[in-house]
Amino acid sequence: QFNTDMRRILMISLTILLFSTSVFAQSNGTTKGYRGEVSIGDMFGLNTEYGSVLNFQTTHGVAFSDGAFVGAGIGFLSDIDDFYPMIPVFLKVSQSFCRNNTINPYASVSLGCYLNAPAGVALYASPELGIEVSRFRLFANYSFYQNTDDCYWHGNVGEKVRSLTIGIAFRFGK
């Protein structure tokens, strides 16, 4: 069940992505086809006391010639000090802009759930902004989810957790 904050983030993210796709979509010489991505980042809690969390994800899907991408992914997150894993499973929609330049800005939205190893499932939304240089992406994303467990680096049950991830990704395929 989505709560009010989750719906706001989802609607704002999708509106921005859909608007930017229609405004900036352009033919860029790329071809349609499979594309994959592997990313690693460091997640910081914005409204909780947990520390640094290692964030590793892989996404696979279809690239379109106008810079759009739609895919699905899975990942692994764990507190760097204490091992408490979370497995994100998500759908990702991405749009690259100015694809003929050396440095290409992009925006994406991931929607999915965190599978908490000992505790359950938490739905999440994560808008992302970044730049693409060749096959590398530097990014920052904001994640929001509501706790289903009571782990110290996640906060209390029912708490709305917000975090920021800074990372790098390597793209392969189209």
Side-chain angles (χ1 to χ4, degrees):
Q1 173 182 354
F2 284 99
N3 59 36
T4 305
D5 289 338
M6 182 75 86
R7 276 185 252 158
R8 277 191 204 127
I9 291 170
L10 175 63
M11 293 307 297
I12 291 169
S13 299
L14 289 176
T15 301
I16 291 170
L17 191 61
L18 290 173
F19 175 74
S20 62
T21 300
S22 64
V23 170
F24 294 103
Q26 55 186 302
S27 177
N28 59 16
T30 61
T31 58
K32 296 178 184 178
Y34 167 78
R35 186 173 92 190
E37 179 178 288
V38 176
S39 68
I40 189 165
D42 197 1
M43 179 187 279
F44 304 93
L46 297 177
N47 67 329
T48 61
E49 295 179 12
Y50 70 83
S52 187
V53 175
L54 177 65
N55 183 346
F56 173 79
Q57 296 183 349
T58 182
T59 309
H60 304 271
V62 178
F64 299 94
S65 60
D66 64 356
F69 169 79
V70 177
I74 191 166
F76 178 82
L77 285 76
S78 181
D79 188 298
I80 291 177
D81 297 325
D82 297 312
F83 184 75
Y84 185 84
M86 290 174 58
I87 310 295
V89 178
F90 55 91
L91 296 175
K92 185 173 190 175
V93 178
S94 180
Q95 176 67 50
S96 295
F97 312 111
C98 311
R99 296 280 303 166
N100 293 324
N101 296 335
T102 304
I103 298 175
N104 303 304
Y106 76 93
S108 69
V109 176
S110 295
L111 302 171
C113 63
Y114 287 123
L115 306 175
N116 302 6
V121 175
L123 297 176
Y124 84 96
S126 182
E128 176 177 303
L129 294 174
I131 58 169
E132 195 172 74
V133 180
S134 183
R135 292 192 172 270
F136 291 93
R137 285 184 163 194
L138 301 173
F139 65 87
N141 71 34
Y142 170 85
S143 295
F144 170 84
Y145 72 96
Q146 188 163 348
N147 277 332
T148 58
D149 67 345
D150 197 13
C151 177
Y152 80 94
W153 66 270
H154 289 228
N156 300 317
V157 174
E159 182 180 357
K160 297 171 184 174
V161 178
R162 293 166 180 85
S163 62
L164 177 67
T165 300
I166 305 295
I168 187 167
F170 178 74
R171 180 177 54 87
F172 47 93
K174 305 291 180 190

